[in-house]
Amino acid sequence: MPYEYWCAPCDASSPSRRDRREDAEDELVEHRRATHGGLRPNDGDGVRRVHADSRGDRLLPSGSCLFWVFLLAAMLANCWGR
């Protein structure tokens, strides 16, 4: 699963996603050195897992979410049908 770093005060994230968490952490350390003098910002930063590029803009619901919505809709339809 791809990884990227993020920095809250700069509103920055990795320019490209990395397959390995260690590569994203190296980019985070480089960002801290270049922008924050090597220190961790108070507002926070870190490395996070992100969806694969094939998922689009990360606004698509996951398969489990779609399953629960379908299940709820089926249950409601069954209740109203009686």
Side-chain angles (χ1 to χ4, degrees), residues 20-60:
R20 294 183 30 205
R21 181 178 187 88
E22 292 80 17
D23 294 337
E25 288 172 352
D26 291 343
E27 282 187 342
L28 173 65
V29 170
E30 184 58 36
H31 172 78
R32 284 181 184 171
R33 283 186 193 137
T35 309
H36 305 289
L39 302 175
R40 182 171 192 257
N42 290 333
D43 292 341
D45 64 356
V47 173
R48 61 184 169 205
R49 279 193 333 187
V50 294
H51 293 293
D53 290 332
S54 63
R55 288 293 304 243
D57 59 1
R58 292 184 264 158
L59 295 177
L60 298 173

Side-chain angles (χ1 to χ4, degrees), residues 5-13 31 36 41-46:
Y5 78 85
W6 59 274
C7 180
C10 299
D11 194 28
S13 62
H31 172 78
H36 305 289
N42 290 333
D43 292 341
D45 64 356

Side-chain angles (χ1 to χ4, degrees), residues 51 54-70:
H51 293 293
S54 63
R55 288 293 304 243
D57 59 1
R58 292 184 264 158
L59 295 177
L60 298 173
S62 67
S64 61
C65 176
L66 292 176
F67 170 76
W68 288 110
V69 169
F70 173 76

